[in-house]
Amino acid sequence: MQLNRLIDHTNLKADATKADIKKLVDEAVEHDFFSVCVNSSFVKFIKEYNDQVTIATVVGFPLGAMSTRAKAYETKCAIEDGASEIDMVIEIGRLKEGDYDYVLEDIKAVKEACGDNILKVIIETCLLNEEEIVKACELSVEAGAEFVKTSTGFSTGGAKASNIALMRKTVGPDLGVKASGGIHTKEEALEMVENGATRIGASKSIDICK
């Protein structure tokens, strides 16, 4: 296993500059990370700077409480600008109150806007109990997503190995599981992989691979 090839090298900070994003891209090339993950305003900029880099971007980030139409349009624009992977945040409140049809249609709309591109569904595990985590994963599978993902990294907690194991058990062997949020070391990353993660989202990617 090449750990570097599981990493989405990430900068989603509100104060990220073009210089920061260029640095992110250069690091991703140097260390052969799988992709860079950025806010959508930088997608076109990266495509023009280095069109060989796989670009992931976030949609409905970080709260997930935007309208479905807004999420779908943001996705459409990001794909047109050059993104090939979309990491969307679910409508967490709707999930918690049991409005599963809303959550399902929300994910479906973004997947439709994605087309053949990869959709990762961020379920924000730190705000959910185990039953809710299972339901979020089941809805993601039903909607046609390619990945479920633990966290935005901007809420009350990040990835936990126990949640990765639960997500993997729920989605089965074939769907992707992305661990993201608070992963700083190689040991932490490997623990996620051992529990079923097939992708790691990290800003400390170089430290992890060292």
Side-chain angles (χ1 to χ4, degrees):
M1 178 192 65
Q2 293 180 288
L3 188 56
N4 59 312
R5 293 300 299 162
L6 302 183
I7 291 176
D8 293 340
H9 192 36
T10 302
N11 187 337
L12 297 169
K13 293 178 180 177
D15 60 351
T17 64
K18 287 182 179 179
D20 295 328
I21 300 303
K22 280 186 176 182
K23 182 172 182 285
L24 187 82
V25 171
D26 292 343
E27 290 170 348
V29 171
E30 179 183 354
H31 297 278
D32 196 25
F33 295 133
F34 185 87
S35 77
V36 293
C37 185
V38 297
N39 284 300
S40 59
S41 65
F42 289 114
V43 172
K44 190 173 183 180
F45 172 73
I46 293 173
K47 195 69 177 176
E48 292 171 352
Y49 177 62
N50 186 335
D51 66 0
Q52 301 304 306
V53 174
T54 299
I55 306 170
T57 194
V58 290
V59 162
F61 192 87
L63 302 178
M66 301 72 179
S67 72
T68 296
R69 283 185 300 164
K71 289 180 184 178
Y73 185 70
E74 185 177 14
T75 300
K76 177 178 177 290
C77 292
I79 297 296
E80 288 174 354
D81 285 347
S84 56
E85 300 199 349
I86 300 293
D87 293 27
M88 73 163 287
V89 187
I90 64 166
E91 225 287 10
I92 300 159
R94 298 287 185 123
L95 178 82
K96 292 187 75 69
E97 68 185 7
D99 193 352
Y100 302 138
D101 288 342
Y102 184 99
V103 177
L104 178 63
E105 294 305 316
D106 193 50
I107 302 169
K108 278 185 174 180
V110 174
K111 180 54 195 170
E112 184 178 350
C114 270
D116 293 334
N117 297 285
I118 298 294
L119 174 62
K120 309 188 201 90
V121 179
I122 306 172
I123 65 174
E124 202 68 286
T125 51
C126 62
L127 301 180
L128 307 179
N129 60 37
E130 288 193 358
E131 181 181 347
E132 291 165 341
I133 290 171
V134 168
K135 191 62 184 180
C137 289
E138 290 173 346
L139 292 170
S140 300
V141 172
E142 185 178 351
E146 285 78 18
F147 275 80
V148 287
K149 175 178 171 181
T150 58
S151 320
T152 61
F154 285 75
S155 189
T156 58
K160 293 183 178 179
S162 58
N163 287 335
I164 291 292
L166 178 60
M167 293 162 72
R168 171 55 66 203
K169 180 181 178 182
T170 303
V171 303
D174 298 326
L175 208 78
V177 176
K178 180 174 174 179
S180 184
I183 302 170
H184 302 113
T185 67
K186 179 179 179 181
E187 291 72 26
E188 290 170 346
L190 288 175
E191 184 182 19
M192 300 300 167
V193 173
E194 287 164 3
N195 280 275
T198 51
R199 195 79 67 84
I200 301 292
S203 59
K204 301 294 185 182
S205 316
I206 296 172
D207 292 339
I208 289 169
C209 288
K210 281 180 179 178

